[in-house]
Amino acid sequence: MQRHSLDLVLLKFSTGEYHPLARHPRIHVQRSPEVEPLVVSRIVGDNLALVVHSDEGTFSDKLFIFDWKTGCKRLQHGVSENAYSGLTFVSPELLVVPNRVLSHFEVWHLPPSQLNPNPPVQILSLKIPGVSPEYSLRIFRCYGEPNPFLHSVPYLPPRPFFSSPENSIIMVAFRISSSSGRRASYNLIMHRRALLDTIQTWTSPSLLEQQEYLWLTNEVTVHQIADPEDGSVQLDAQSKLVSTTPHPRSSPRTGDSPTFSTSQTSRTFPTSHISADSVDSGSLSVSSGISTNSSTSRYTFLQVPWEKWGPPISRWFQVNETQVTRSHGQRYAFSDANAPDGEKLMVSVVDFNPHKFRRNAEMMARLGSGEGENNSNNEEGQEEKAEGFEILDHKGVFSEEVYMGLKCLVYRTPDEYDFDLVLMEEKGLFGVKLDRHGWEESIKVFYIG
């Protein structure tokens, strides 16, 4: 069977040349029999995170985390087939990866590699609402633009009226189908900052000791990798899920780690060396070398049910699979076909800025007229709940009631448009009309006030 090599090439955007800060601008990821596997990557700070998914089912999905400046592979986490299709950073040190097979968000902590030799570890599992037995989850992926960043860019002017990446929203796409052929699609919206607060709450030591929920355990084996160029030693971690257990009351907590039980074993392994490829000086390869110790640890972390963490910070939208949806900053845009032939679109922009919602609510209270004509917080298919939450009318797609408490304002455009595609950035929308060959025929720009 022919095997193909998947490599990362790090280029400088302005010149197209190898990035000057990357010690090894070409990084080998893996070899596989698939020509073009699905790869989704994100870079924040020194961390380059990516998931690799096999569309043909020829290999199990994997999560990789590299230090892109040194070329060192910090983590390789293996899961079952068809588990991964996306990821997003919640903060520079927290990564969220949707796992379709296990129906949860994996939350990974990425300590700074320069200050902490420990590898990235999973610290939390956040469950999503259960899908009814006759349905299956086909797509489960997330988006979040813009990415958080480590340092402010000194040459950019301050923008006091724009939201920071920490205040932006994260959009999660759910595509669900039944054995009878029925399909349902939903987009879940969460504030990045609210999700970060939720993660910090559920990983606090005082709260962890009291929880009776399910616990998961990852086994992490760390190998030392020596760079022959400068003699420095880096860590290469291999991780996998090994067990699920009830509350491990008998396991002592270890140090400041988010883990409960840690067992260390040492064996002698050949050291993997990073060496420059003889043909391309920017490539990275691994070869055997001098023996050294490796260590294996077990990290145990909590799995939190959806109803315990999700409703207060979430908003659900039912969409169709052909519907165009985009998000950027604190806004989410979607289009609906309004005419019977589907040639015209109505575009709606949903604003999740809490200050705007609060100001709008105060204004409506003063006017005594309830919600405005173009400003709505209750979408079709949602019911009000007395406690301040709303209920998603999913018609049995999920096996439980799905509550949501995140507030928003919905602005609908007064006109209809013949766009084929809608793009979005922080200040505006771009309506794209394509010709019969699929090329851009015209672009209309709409400013978002």
Side-chain angles (χ1 to χ4, degrees), residues 117-359:
N118 294 326
V121 293
Q122 187 174 352
I123 60 172
L124 194 63
S125 162
L126 297 174
K127 290 288 288 183
I128 60 175
V131 176
S132 296
E134 63 270 26
Y135 288 88
S136 61
L137 184 60
R138 295 186 297 108
I139 295 176
F140 177 34
R141 61 170 65 109
C142 60
Y143 313 85
E145 299 294 340
N147 269 333
F149 51 84
L150 281 173
H151 308 290
S152 59
V153 183
Y155 52 81
L156 288 179
R159 303 190 302 167
F161 298 104
F162 292 95
S163 61
S164 65
E166 291 77 13
N167 291 324
S168 62
I169 61 174
I170 293 174
M171 181 176 74
V172 186
F174 292 80
R175 303 297 179 259
I176 304 169
S177 61
S178 70
S179 54
S180 61
R182 184 193 168 195
R183 293 175 179 264
S185 300
Y186 302 92
N187 285 344
L188 165 65
I189 306 295
M190 298 180 289
H191 259 295
R192 181 180 260 114
R193 185 177 294 277
L195 180 57
L196 176 60
D197 292 341
T198 298
I199 294 170
Q200 292 175 337
T201 297
W202 285 100
T203 53
S204 64
S206 59
L207 186 63
L208 285 174
E209 299 290 354
Q210 305 170 13
Q211 300 308 317
E212 302 291 341
Y213 305 129
L214 193 66
W215 292 76
L216 309 182
T217 302
N218 281 349
E219 185 175 270
V220 181
T221 301
V222 180
H223 305 278
Q224 294 183 358
I225 300 178
D227 190 330
E229 294 182 3
D230 58 12
S232 62
V233 177
Q234 303 286 348
L235 302 181
D236 179 358
Q238 309 283 327
S239 173
K240 62 181 179 180
L241 178 68
V242 293
S243 70
T244 60
T245 59
H247 191 292
R249 290 188 179 276
S250 59
S251 300
R253 187 172 177 82
T254 57
D256 295 327
S257 169
T259 67
F260 275 77
S261 61
T262 303
S263 61
Q264 296 285 344
T265 59
S266 295
R267 291 189 296 165
T268 300
F269 277 83
T271 303
S272 295
H273 289 275
I274 297 177
S275 60
D277 189 280
S278 58
V279 177
D280 185 348
S281 62
S283 66
L284 187 71
S285 62
V286 177
S287 60
S288 297
I290 303 173
S291 298
T292 186
N293 289 334
S294 68
S295 63
T296 299
S297 303
R298 290 201 168 193
Y299 294 87
T300 303
F301 50 92
L302 181 66
Q303 183 173 85
V304 186
W306 162 261
E307 67 271 14
K308 296 297 182 181
W309 74 271
I313 66 170
S314 65
R315 163 70 48 177
W316 292 78
F317 293 88
Q318 184 167 4
V319 297
N320 59 64
E321 294 198 12
T322 60
Q323 196 169 356
V324 178
T325 58
R326 293 289 185 271
S327 70
H328 195 285
Q330 297 190 65
R331 295 188 177 104
Y332 162 72
F334 62 91
S335 62
D336 281 313
N338 196 43
D341 56 9
E343 292 184 358
K344 295 286 187 177
L345 294 177
M346 289 191 66
V347 180
S348 299
V349 177
V350 187
D351 197 326
F352 288 92
N353 187 319
H355 304 292
K356 289 185 178 179
F357 177 82
R358 186 161 49 249
R359 185 176 59 188

